[in-house]
Amino acid sequence: MMDVTLLHLVLACLIVIVAINLTLTFRLFGMMRTMNMPGVDVLPLTLPVDEQVPYFAGETLMDKTPVRSINKPTVLVFLSTQCKECHGKLPELCRIQAALRRAEVEIWLIMSEHPDRIKSFLADTPLLNLVVSMDNEVRKSLNPRTASPFYLFLDENRVLQASGMIGDHDWISFISQMDDILTEAESAL
């Protein structure tokens, strides 16, 4: 009897060890797929800073007005209706609208979902008029990984000044500058 119990115990231990080994192997395989390995193309998060971004154009979602890269500082904000973090950024984007106008900075929201989803996502905000539809290839050239909530800060010559995920150091600095502009405007009243 003892030999059969011992055999069952050994078999159970072997099954557990094999399961752990398979789990670790699959995790290692997944990590290796995402590493920058020779012969494996990994898309950059963004374009190189201090380089001119390609010319881009599109049209506003609401009234189909043509929009193109212009000789004005521009903030491109990439959002997705399926991104939980994007929902939380809407109040901040609404709050800085007046400061952006005052600073003569353009802001365009780049979204690729169906217009009905976008309208529902931005309902009850003044942001819907800022949504620009772009050709898929153009959008991918500006945001290779289709990250969101993601931003690009461009100067008047379309030179990339900063980019990253909304909430990073550069974004916080930008929001602080916009808040300062709003504060100055309020104190002037």
Side-chain angles (χ1 to χ4, degrees):
M1 276 284 187
M2 191 168 251
D3 291 330
V4 173
T5 305
L6 183 60
L7 182 61
H8 285 134
L9 182 62
V10 169
L11 283 175
C13 287
L14 284 174
I15 290 172
V16 169
I17 290 171
V18 168
I20 291 171
N21 187 1
L22 283 173
T23 302
L24 293 174
T25 300
F26 286 126
R27 280 191 180 171
L28 182 59
F29 178 72
M31 288 172 28
M32 290 178 64
R33 283 183 28 214
T34 61
M35 290 175 55
N36 192 3
M37 299 173 58
V40 175
D41 291 333
V42 176
L43 294 173
L45 179 59
T46 187
L47 305 167
V49 173
D50 293 328
E51 288 191 22
Q52 191 174 44
V53 302
Y55 174 82
F56 54 91
E59 63 183 20
T60 59
L61 176 69
M62 294 306 293
D63 59 9
K64 305 297 183 201
T65 301
V67 175
R68 60 184 179 9
S69 46
I70 55 175
N71 297 333
K72 209 173 188 185
T74 304
V75 180
L76 300 178
V77 176
F78 295 83
L79 299 174
S80 170
T81 62
Q82 298 174 1
C83 166
K84 290 180 183 177
E85 287 183 50
C86 295
H87 287 269
K89 303 304 178 185
L90 297 181
E92 184 174 65
L93 291 169
C94 291
R95 188 182 82 242
I96 64 169
Q97 291 303 297
L100 289 166
R101 282 190 298 277
R102 193 171 193 85
E104 296 184 20
V105 174
E106 291 287 328
I107 184 168
W108 297 339
L109 305 182
I110 314 299
M111 302 177 74
S112 62
E113 289 102 342
H114 189 275
D116 291 340
R117 287 186 68 125
I118 295 170
K119 289 174 186 174
S120 176
F121 178 73
L122 297 174
D124 303 322
T125 74
L127 301 174
L128 197 53
N129 292 325
L130 302 175
V131 177
V132 173
S133 300
M134 289 184 177
D135 176 72
N136 195 34
E137 290 304 312
V138 173
R139 194 174 57 253
K140 283 185 179 180
S141 74
L142 297 170
N143 184 0
R145 290 191 194 173
T146 63
S148 63
F150 182 74
Y151 68 89
L152 297 173
F153 294 148
L154 309 175
D155 69 10
E156 62 278 359
N157 299 312
R158 288 192 337 264
V159 174
L160 182 64
Q161 299 300 309
S163 67
M165 301 305 286
I166 291 180
D168 70 8
H169 175 73
D170 289 329
W171 180 263
I172 292 169
S173 176
F174 169 70
I175 293 299
S176 176
Q177 291 171 25
M178 294 301 105
D179 284 339
D180 289 347
I181 290 171
L182 288 173
T183 301
E184 287 174 19
E186 289 169 357
S187 65
L189 298 176

